Amino acid sequence: MESSTTTISMQESDSVISHQVGSADPAASDAGDGIACTDAATRDDKVDGQVDGAVTAPRTISPPSTPSAILLQKDAFPDEVVTTPKSTDSEVVDYSVSFSVSSDIVIHVKSDGSKVCFNVSSALMSSASPVWRSELRGDGQKGHSETSKWVINIDGDLKALDTVFSIIHHKFNRVPPSVTLDELYEIARVISKYECTHLVYPWGNQWLKDLSIKAEDADCPSHCHKAVFIAWMFGDVKLFRDMVDVLTVSSKLDCDGQLVNVDGKPLKEMVLPSGLSDAVDKTRSTTIGNILAAVNTPLMQLTKTDKGTTKSFCKLSSQQKECEAMMLGSIIPAMMTAGLFPIPDKFPGSIQTLKEKIDNIKPIPYAGRDWKPHLSHGGCNLGFSESVLKCLKDMPVPLQDNFMEHLSAQADISGIKNGPELEEFLCRHTPSPLKDHSVAASTNPTSPKSGGDEA
């Protein structure tokens, strides 16, 4: 696509009204190809009835019983200071994008030292986003003359803003059919910030279907927090569950005891649902405690004076005592090298690191004088790896009811099609007609009391 640009200068130096609204990601990524001036197609500022219906769809639903779980972590989008440029005309704009000939707002976006000018329609922006509507149409907002434009300064990701603005102004040919993980993450941040998830309804399923991140990917632990936020905004239950699982298994403690991801980035500084980082921390700590206890169990059994009827770790019936003594004596040096003997109370590394350390601890098989090929002790072990796998299988994933309620609401808004996990949750929380009837009967003073069991 040609990158021809046109600077739109419809402002009057003596009547420019300047605002700066919202907050955005301070680390905005570079804009990709394809940002250029739109064609000469025109649209009236007035939105017809069909568009009104589309852009006024329900927004993010926050369950009244657990509102904190629906919010993002504090300071996810830090507040910006509202300032008025001293000399708007003297500011250099690298290029300008016009979405409508009837645009009456100039949005200046700063990204990596460059400034891009988006010319947009206040009517469409207000209709699409309650945040923009409050800023532009709310009480106390100054009007502007027909010969002037608002000038709004924001920071943000150019490509994500261009995509969202294109949807708002019905420039659907500018909307990408597929996006990368980073691009979709930035789009998710924009629709979260401006509360306009409903805009992505026609593209949500395809974007997530083409998302090239899988739990088994080597680089997934570095990027899973972005996929968690994407799943949170789009309401994808399976993606949320899988990526939270990866985040939990790969998180560790830094030298200050702070929970960080595999790259050392604190979870508290990530854009995550409120309360999720604490849930990950608790799940990680509990799972590591279970793994260490499972590893310690055979050591305690083999060192007891009175073994009684304890479990046998030798797979053969002959020379059991010698085999177990050989296993115990051979694994202790390996455990000391791994920092796991004596069994520590805490482990600062990740669950994945602990699993790898334990998997590398291999006992030396016993071979006595009467050793025979068919009586080999090569298959004897203390069951460390099996115990770790069981602990991982039993590890809970934070899919509490408040999270599921939010994901369900977001899926309705974004059009995401979820699988059996969400259906099972909805079935559990949908009261049966019999139960409703019983409740109604019990609250009706004229109805007789039921003498049977409760429904």
Side-chain angles (χ1 to χ4, degrees):
M1 179 181 294
E2 296 181 0
S3 58
S4 60
T5 59
T6 304
T7 302
I8 307 299
S9 56
M10 299 177 63
Q11 303 158 217
E12 291 185 0
S13 59
D14 58 344
S15 59
V16 173
I17 302 172
S18 177
H19 295 275
Q20 186 172 8
V21 298
S23 57
D25 189 358
S29 60
D30 293 337
D33 296 335
I35 298 183
C37 290
T38 59
D39 56 19
T42 62
R43 274 193 174 274
D44 294 335
D45 278 357
K46 184 177 180 181
V47 185
D48 59 26
Q50 183 178 0
V51 175
D52 285 340
V55 298
T56 56
R59 304 197 308 276
T60 303
I61 297 175
S62 176
S65 58
T66 55
S68 60
I70 307 306
L71 301 175
L72 298 178
Q73 291 184 162
K74 183 180 180 181
D75 297 332
F77 299 112
D79 294 335
E80 294 177 352
V81 178
V82 178
T83 60
T84 301
K86 294 181 179 180
S87 179
T88 305
D89 291 340
S90 63
E91 293 182 356
V92 177
V93 176
D94 293 275
Y95 62 89
S96 181
V97 182
S98 178
F99 291 95
S100 174
V101 294
S102 58
S103 61
D104 54 353
I105 303 178
V106 179
I107 298 179
H108 287 169
V109 183
K110 294 181 179 179
S111 178
D112 295 334
S114 63
K115 175 176 278 192
V116 177
C117 174
F118 290 125
N119 292 268
V120 299
S121 164
S122 63
L124 293 179
M125 297 290 286
S126 298
S127 181
S129 163
V131 177
W132 283 106
R133 181 164 57 250
S134 176
E135 181 67 24
L136 300 175
R137 310 295 187 191
D139 295 337
Q141 292 300 318
K142 296 181 180 180
H144 64 289
S145 66
E146 296 181 357
T147 58
S148 67
K149 290 186 177 183
W150 274 303
V151 175
I152 301 176
N153 297 298
I154 65 174
D155 295 328
D157 182 84
L158 296 176
K159 205 166 187 179
L161 288 169
D162 183 88
T163 297
V164 174
F165 290 167
S166 295
I167 296 174
I168 292 175
H169 292 80
H170 320 125
K171 306 294 183 181
F172 303 131
N173 60 311
R174 295 173 58 87
V175 180
S178 62
V179 290
T180 66
L181 174 68
D182 289 336
E183 290 170 347
L184 190 54
Y185 173 70
E186 295 298 340
I187 291 174
R189 296 199 65 170
V190 171
I191 63 177
S192 171
K193 174 182 173 183
Y194 297 113
E195 300 179 23
C196 52
T197 304
H198 59 280
L199 295 177
V200 301
Y201 192 99
W203 298 274
N205 278 292
Q206 186 62 42
W207 282 347
L208 288 174
K209 179 181 178 182
D210 296 338
L211 200 61
S212 58
I213 183 170
K214 297 179 176 59
E216 59 270 18
D217 294 343
D219 61 344
C220 184
S222 297
H223 307 290
C224 61
H225 65 282
K226 294 182 178 180
V228 167
F229 182 65
I230 292 171
W232 181 254
M233 286 307 304
F234 283 75
D236 191 318
V237 175
K238 185 178 186 305
L239 181 63
F240 184 83
R241 179 187 179 92
D242 291 347
M243 294 300 107
V244 169
D245 186 82
V246 173
L247 186 62
T248 303
V249 171
S250 60
S251 297
K252 58 185 179 180
L253 300 179
D254 63 9
C255 57
D256 298 323
Q258 187 174 207
L259 189 66
V260 298
N261 74 345
V262 67
D263 297 323
K265 182 177 180 179
L267 267 65
K268 292 290 187 181
E269 297 179 5
M270 297 176 179
V271 184
L272 295 172
S274 178
L276 181 60
S277 60
D278 292 335
V280 169
D281 193 4
K282 181 179 179 180
T283 301
R284 172 195 167 276
S285 178
T286 301
T287 303
I288 285 180
N290 293 339
I291 292 175
L292 293 176
V295 170
N296 192 45
T297 298
L299 302 183
M300 297 299 295
Q301 290 183 5
L302 292 177
T303 54
K304 285 198 309 184
T305 304
D306 182 17
K307 296 185 180 182
T309 58
T310 58
K311 175 184 176 181
S312 173
F313 298 98
C314 178
K315 306 300 181 184
L316 303 178
S317 58
S318 63
Q319 299 176 315
Q320 173 184 337
K321 183 177 180 180
E322 292 83 354
C323 174
E324 292 179 343
M326 185 68 179
M327 286 191 290
L328 179 62
S330 62
I331 66 168
I332 289 179
M335 292 184 66
M336 293 179 66
T337 302
L340 298 177
F341 189 86
I343 299 295
D345 295 329
K346 297 181 179 180
F347 183 78
S350 66
I351 295 175
Q352 181 62 35
T353 299
L354 179 60
K355 178 182 181 300
E356 293 172 355
K357 285 179 175 288
I358 294 175
D359 286 343
N360 289 330
I361 298 174
K362 305 292 184 183
I364 299 175
Y366 173 73
R369 293 182 179 180
D370 300 330
W371 179 87
K372 298 178 182 179
H374 65 285
L375 295 176
S376 172
H377 290 267
C380 300
N381 62 77
L382 300 182
F384 285 175
S385 296
E386 291 80 359
S387 297
V388 172
L389 291 177
K390 184 180 185 304
C391 291
L392 291 178
K393 183 179 179 180
D394 295 339
M395 183 183 76
V397 177
L399 278 178
Q400 298 98 326
D401 286 355
N402 50 358
F403 284 176
M404 291 295 289
E405 288 171 0
H406 172 83
L407 292 170
S408 175
Q410 289 298 103
D412 290 339
I413 297 171
S414 68
I416 295 301
K417 299 177 182 178
N418 281 299
E421 283 183 319
L422 182 57
E423 293 178 3
E424 180 183 351
F425 166 79
L426 294 176
C427 289
R428 290 201 317 268
H429 292 76
T430 301
S432 65
L434 178 61
K435 185 175 181 180
D436 286 344
H437 179 74
S438 300
V439 172
S442 63
T443 57
N444 187 348
T446 62
S447 62
K449 294 182 180 181
S450 174
D453 297 335
E454 294 183 6

